[in-house]
Amino acid sequence: MEIGLVGLGKMGGNMARRWMRGGHRVVGYARSAATLTALAKEGLVPASSLEDLVSRLKPPRAVWLMLPAGAVTEETVTRLGGLLSGGDALVDGGNTYYKDDMRRAAALAPKDLHYLDEGTSGGVWGLAEGYCLMIGGPPEIVERLRPAFVTLAPAPDRGWGRVGPAGAGHFVKMIHNGIEYGMMQSYAEGFALLESKREFGLDLKQVASIWQNGSVVRSWLLDLIARALQENPRLDGIEPWVEDSGEGRWTVQESLDNAVPAPVTALALMARFRSRQPKSFADRLLAAMRNQFGGHAIKRSGT
């Protein structure tokens, strides 16, 4: 089938490659001319603008967005809403907040434009391994776009599916990422405890390799830990700064809105915030308080 793709970064570019290798015609648009040129050599049909992209596709069109959540996606959806025709489908495969999906779907419906939200997981490994796709939107449009979903997925009958109406796809992906936060934090704390037991001289790569087989904690994340420790056993040159994509925050907010406890996810998110404070005011104040009430020594800067 024909697919229009807006956004050709790490995820979008590899999705385009997987589609093209699957026999689909992909028309792509990105702000970077160098990116367009590189992918054109692999078979991508480059578009010079959103208008050009739409004109190069036959109706009913299918246009995918692989853009950062927020203003850039909002602006692109608005512009495409004025360029696409009745019966066309617009799929947001980025990490959009699910309530924005519900609003956009409602706004595009009077124009007979079909909006789907597709939570996409797989990262840089998706090209080789396939992507996990969580899709929200009209079932008949999901079925119409089945060839594109099947090509992206690990297998035709695994790793993808419609989970509900517009908004449901990104809601499921949001919770997926919240779980991911907790799992990553748990692994990080466990390996930190292993690393701290210096008298045993533990080989963390060996431990990870042992756990990869038969253990109840084996997972793809553990496989990646083993890979990272193989490449850099002491994690030299890596600063303890951990960013968040926003979905962890949305997951915690959802738990507050619905009074559903999610303490592990919340603490994992707080740990990421903490990683960005090398000179934490809170920790310095704690030291000052202990000195005030108990006369406990303070470690001065530079000592």
Side-chain angles (χ1 to χ4, degrees):
M1 61 177 292
E2 285 191 331
I3 302 164
L5 180 58
V6 181
L8 299 169
K10 292 180 180 179
M11 288 280 282
N14 279 344
M15 287 171 64
R17 292 183 176 95
R18 193 167 172 93
W19 273 323
M20 290 186 293
R21 294 174 187 180
H24 302 292
R25 178 177 183 264
V26 182
V27 180
Y29 170 69
R31 293 180 178 178
S32 169
T35 298
L36 281 174
T37 300
L39 281 167
K41 294 178 181 178
E42 299 180 45
L44 180 90
V45 179
S48 59
S49 65
L50 292 179
E51 291 82 358
D52 187 33
L53 180 140
V54 170
S55 72
R56 290 175 180 268
L57 297 169
K58 298 176 183 177
R61 304 173 182 87
V63 178
W64 252 260
L65 304 183
M66 290 303 298
L67 299 169
V72 63
T73 296
E74 186 73 29
E75 177 187 350
T76 305
V77 169
T78 299
R79 288 184 59 193
L80 285 170
L83 295 171
L84 295 172
S85 306
D88 291 348
L90 181 58
V91 184
D92 181 4
N95 286 330
T96 291
Y97 185 43
Y98 77 97
K99 291 185 179 180
D100 289 335
D101 293 310
M102 297 170 69
R103 171 177 53 79
R104 291 170 187 164
L108 293 173
K111 301 179 181 180
D112 192 30
L113 297 178
H114 308 291
Y115 182 92
L116 282 70
D117 55 295
E118 175 202 348
T120 310
S121 182
V124 296
W125 294 88
L127 176 59
E129 303 292 334
Y131 297 90
C132 175
L133 309 175
M134 298 142 271
I135 308 160
E140 66 277 11
I141 305 304
V142 174
E143 183 61 29
R144 190 174 91 194
L145 303 184
R146 171 184 284 268
F149 295 131
V150 165
T151 302
L152 289 181
D157 59 344
R158 290 185 289 110
W160 76 280
R162 177 186 180 269
V163 296
H170 279 145
F171 180 80
V172 172
K173 177 59 162 51
M174 179 184 77
I175 303 304
H176 165 284
N177 280 29
I179 293 170
E180 180 183 299
Y181 274 47
M183 291 175 67
M184 291 175 69
Q185 185 64 29
S186 180
Y187 276 127
E189 293 174 6
F191 275 87
L193 285 168
L194 292 171
E195 193 272 340
S196 72
K197 201 67 174 175
R198 301 295 174 81
E199 61 264 39
F200 285 164
L202 298 172
D203 181 339
L204 301 190
K205 169 59 172 64
Q206 180 197 29
V207 173
S209 298
I210 292 171
W211 285 356
Q212 284 177 287
N213 298 279
S215 166
V216 296
V217 300
R218 64 186 184 274
S219 73
W220 186 53
L221 284 175
L222 182 61
D223 294 342
L224 296 180
I225 289 171
R227 179 187 177 92
L229 292 173
Q230 176 69 41
E231 295 174 351
N232 189 353
R234 303 296 305 170
L235 303 183
D236 295 328
I238 299 177
E239 290 293 325
W241 174 284
V242 187
E243 192 56 85
D244 68 287
S245 65
E247 292 192 311
R249 303 187 191 204
W250 298 337
T251 302
V252 172
Q253 185 60 55
E254 195 71 21
S255 77
L256 296 174
D257 292 344
N258 292 281
V260 175
V264 171
T265 305
L267 288 174
L269 177 62
M270 296 303 117
R272 294 195 178 195
F273 294 161
R274 177 65 183 83
S275 77
R276 304 170 205 166
Q277 297 182 335
K279 295 183 179 180
S280 168
F281 182 84
D283 289 347
R284 286 183 286 150
L285 186 59
L286 283 172
M289 283 190 282
R290 293 184 75 251
N291 175 259
Q292 289 290 329
F293 68 67
H296 300 290
I298 294 176
K299 184 178 180 179
R300 301 291 179 181
S301 299
T303 61

